[in-house]
Amino acid sequence: MTANDRINFKEHAGGVLAIDSGFMRENMTACYLVEAGSEVAFIEVGSNSSTPRLMSVLEMRGWKPDDVRYVIVTHVHLDHAGGAGSLMQLLPNATFLVHPYGARHMTDPAKLEAGSRAVYGDRKFEEMYGTLIPVAAERVQIMEDGDKATLGNRELRFMDSPGHARHHFCVHDSHTNGWFTGDTFGLSYREFDTENGAFLLPTTTPIQFDPEPLKDSVRKLVAINPDCMYLTHFGRVENVQKLAAKMMEGVDAFVEFAERYKNHDQRRQKIESAMADWLLSGLREHGVSLSEEQCLQVLQSDIKLNTKGIEFWLDHRDR
C-alpha cells in the first residue's frame, strides 16, 4: 500500500489502481483508476469527499483531467456514486456510464437524497454525503446488459446484475479478465485476510435485496472463469470460485435467519444477533486473530444494513 498525502492506493498488474475513497473509514470503500494507453477511467467514485483524493491520484500518476474518458458507477448507492456530480465537473471530456435504472437518479438526485436521509437521518447524511450534485444529462450514457465500451487496449463489458439492487451492473475488464463487482460479489475487508486468503460475506441494502437474483448474478460472474474480482468493499481478490461458494453460503444463511425469526416480536434484534454470531464463527474458522470486539467494530454497520435488507425482503417478497 502506498501512502501519499494520506491517500492510500494500491497498484495492481494490468494498469488498475485501487484507491481508498476515505468513506467512513480507511480500507472500507475503493474506487478504481483504470489506465489504458493514452486514456483512463474511474470506476466507482465514492462520496463528494472522495473527489479530491481521486483527482490527486490522477495527478500523481501523470494524467490530466482531459485524459479521463469514462466515469463509471456500478450502481447509484451513495458510497459508490455520491461524488459523481462533483467529479464530472472536473473532467471535461468524460462520459458518465450508468445502469438504465440508475441514470435518472444521477441527473436528478432528489429522490436518492430523500431515501438516504430517511435511512441515516439529516445529520448523518450531511456528514457522510454533503450536497449531491447532478450529472449533466447530456454527458450520461446508459449501458444495457451486454453493452461494451473501449478504453485504450481494453474492452469493458457490462452485465446486468440484480440482487443487491435492481440498478446494478458489473463491468468485465478484458485486459485483466476481472470483474468490477460493486456489491454483487459481497464484501471482503483486508483486516480479515489470513493464510487462508480473503474472507467474504454478502451485503444487502435497506431496499431491493433479493436473494435468488443475487445468486444468479454471482453464477454469471464466475461462469467465464475470471482471474479476479475488484470489489468496492474492499480491493482486488482472487480464488474466485472458492469465494463464490462462500458468497452463496452467505446468502443462504441470510435467508435462514429471515425464516427463523420472521414472526418474532424482536425480529431485527434476533437477526442482528444471529448474523453477528455467524460472522464471528466464520472469522475464527478462517483464522482471524482479531478480538471479538475488533471484528464487530469493523462489521457493525454491515450487520445493521444487512439486517435491514433481510427485513425488506421479508416484507416485500410476496407482493
Side-chain angles (χ1 to χ4, degrees):
M1 187 72 77
T2 302
N4 191 310
D5 296 333
R6 300 187 67 183
I7 301 171
N8 295 330
F9 65 91
K10 184 172 184 177
E11 182 176 1
H12 298 290
V16 177
L17 276 74
I19 306 167
D20 192 331
S21 76
F23 180 75
M24 297 291 287
R25 63 174 178 84
E26 296 297 310
N27 300 320
M28 181 174 180
T29 305
C31 305
Y32 292 92
L33 179 66
V34 182
E35 301 177 325
S38 61
E39 56 189 9
V40 296
F42 283 113
I43 301 181
E44 309 287 54
V45 300
S47 62
N48 278 326
S49 62
S50 309
T51 294
R53 287 183 172 226
L54 300 187
M55 295 302 294
S56 292
V57 173
L58 189 72
E59 181 180 4
M60 282 184 237
R61 298 292 293 181
W63 298 101
K64 299 177 181 177
D66 291 358
D67 297 326
V68 180
R69 184 171 181 183
Y70 299 120
V71 172
I72 304 168
V73 294
T74 60
H75 60 303
V76 301
H77 291 163
L78 295 181
D79 52 333
H80 299 251
S86 62
L87 184 62
M88 286 291 291
Q89 288 182 334
L90 303 176
L91 305 174
N93 295 331
T95 300
F96 184 71
L97 307 186
V98 64
H99 191 282
Y101 293 161
R104 64 189 177 95
H105 295 296
M106 292 285 91
T107 57
D108 180 6
K111 288 186 178 179
L112 194 62
E113 178 171 333
S116 295
R117 286 183 182 275
V119 171
Y120 295 107
D122 290 339
R123 179 179 173 184
K124 190 68 172 178
F125 178 90
E126 295 292 344
E127 291 176 359
M128 294 167 65
Y129 302 116
T131 301
L132 300 185
I133 299 172
V135 177
E138 65 272 15
R139 301 184 67 187
V140 173
Q141 181 175 336
I142 289 172
M143 303 304 286
E144 302 281 358
D145 183 45
D147 281 354
K148 298 175 182 178
T150 300
L151 182 73
N153 60 340
R154 327 172 96 95
E155 179 182 83
L156 302 177
R157 178 168 61 87
F158 294 75
M159 186 194 84
D160 185 36
S161 57
H164 176 81
R166 288 192 293 271
H167 58 273
H168 199 302
F169 57 44
C170 296
V171 185
H172 182 258
D173 170 36
S174 63
H175 188 61
T176 62
N177 189 29
W179 285 101
F180 294 89
T181 61
D183 286 340
T184 297
F185 204 70
L187 315 174
S188 181
Y189 295 130
R190 304 282 60 83
E191 291 94 329
F192 299 146
D193 288 350
T194 69
E195 61 182 9
N196 295 314
F199 180 85
L200 185 134
L201 66 146
T203 176
T204 79
T205 174
I207 58 172
Q208 296 188 348
F209 171 58
D210 202 347
E212 288 306 316
L214 180 55
K215 289 166 68 175
D216 286 342
S217 294
V218 172
R219 292 185 188 102
K220 290 177 182 177
L221 289 174
V222 300
I224 65 166
N225 293 315
D227 292 323
C228 61
M229 302 295 201
Y230 300 103
L231 308 185
T232 306
H233 310 287
F234 176 87
R236 184 179 188 264
V237 296
E238 299 177 350
N239 296 320
V240 170
Q241 299 295 338
K242 175 184 175 182
L243 291 178
K246 290 294 184 183
M247 178 72 182
M248 299 290 194
E249 290 176 12
V251 174
D252 288 342
F254 286 9
V255 170
E256 195 278 324
F257 301 152
E259 296 292 355
R260 190 192 314 171
Y261 296 115
K262 62 184 178 182
N263 296 319
H264 201 284
D265 59 0
Q266 293 184 310
R267 184 177 72 177
R268 178 167 297 180
Q269 295 92 324
K270 288 294 185 179
I271 293 174
E272 284 187 4
S273 179
M275 186 177 301
D277 290 345
W278 173 75
L279 285 168
L280 289 170
S281 176
L283 289 167
R284 292 290 169 259
E285 182 180 341
H286 191 66
V288 174
S289 59
L290 297 175
S291 69
E292 179 176 311
E293 181 181 0
Q294 289 172 315
C295 291
L296 290 176
Q297 186 175 6
V298 172
L299 291 170
Q300 195 60 53
S301 62
D302 293 309
I303 291 170
K304 291 184 178 299
L305 283 175
N306 281 346
T307 299
K308 290 179 180 179
I310 290 169
E311 289 195 294
F312 171 87
W313 173 69
L314 277 173
D315 293 338
H316 293 82
R317 59 179 172 170
D318 296 326
R319 294 184 182 180

